[in-house]
Amino acid sequence: QVQLVESGGGLVLAGDSLRLSCVASGRTFSSSAMGWFRQAPGKEREFVGGITSDGGYGVYGDSVKGRFTISRDNAKNTVYLQMNRLKPEDTAAYYCAARPLGGAVVRTEQRAYADWGQGTQVTVSS
């Protein structure tokens, strides 16, 4: 099992940038694919993006493609979500998730991820 703790959320203005971090504990981080999801009030949780265990391949949701970038540092057991050109519709709680048994493949479905953090709130004001 991987324990995940997100940080870096906050209140920003539209057009600003923000970087979220997710620190993992446990031995399986370097072999885990990692994902970021978000959930806005009254909406379903949606896939933001994911990265393979070696950091070589990323997948992004259509709404963030070209603005958000995922990276990871396996030596620090940390995955990052760099968010640029933020929009009010990016306002949500952001969650990182781990997929320990499928490091080579990024999946977009929530059920593919075994471990979840508690989330960090991002609020984008216009």
Side-chain angles (χ1 to χ4, degrees), residues 9 15 28 47 53 64 68 79 92 104 117:
T28 61
F47 174 77
S53 57
V64 307
F68 290 12
V79 62

Side-chain angles (χ1 to χ4, degrees), residues 14-15 20 39 44 55 67 72 87 100 105 107 113 119-120 124:
L20 306 183
Q39 188 168 19
E44 293 186 355
R67 298 188 298 123
R72 65 190 295 162
K87 304 175 181 180
V105 178
R107 298 281 297 271
Y113 293 83
T120 186
V124 185

Side-chain angles (χ1 to χ4, degrees), residues 31-112:
S31 62
S32 301
M34 299 296 295
W36 284 96
F37 291 77
R38 68 185 182 186
Q39 188 168 19
K43 295 187 177 181
E44 293 186 355
R45 191 170 295 188
E46 69 168 333
F47 174 77
V48 174
I51 190 167
T52 52
S53 57
D54 65 356
Y57 186 70
V59 175
Y60 299 91
D62 288 341
S63 61
V64 307
K65 203 171 294 183
R67 298 188 298 123
F68 290 12
T69 303
I70 297 176
S71 61
R72 65 190 295 162
D73 185 331
N74 284 349
K76 296 182 178 179
N77 274 18
T78 303
V79 62
Y80 304 97
L81 179 65
Q82 177 67 44
M83 305 183 294
N84 297 329
R85 303 197 308 276
L86 282 160
K87 304 175 181 180
E89 50 263 44
D90 294 319
T91 294
Y94 284 72
Y95 301 88
C96 70
R99 187 163 180 264
L101 300 180
V105 178
V106 176
R107 298 281 297 271
T108 64
E109 319 92 272
Q110 295 183 53
R111 64 177 183 271

Side-chain angles (χ1 to χ4, degrees), residues 14-39:
D16 284 353
S17 297
L18 204 59
R19 189 176 80 158
L20 306 183
S21 299
C22 173
V23 179
S25 62
R27 298 180 178 180
T28 61
F29 177 79
S30 62
S31 62
S32 301
M34 299 296 295
W36 284 96
F37 291 77
R38 68 185 182 186
Q39 188 168 19

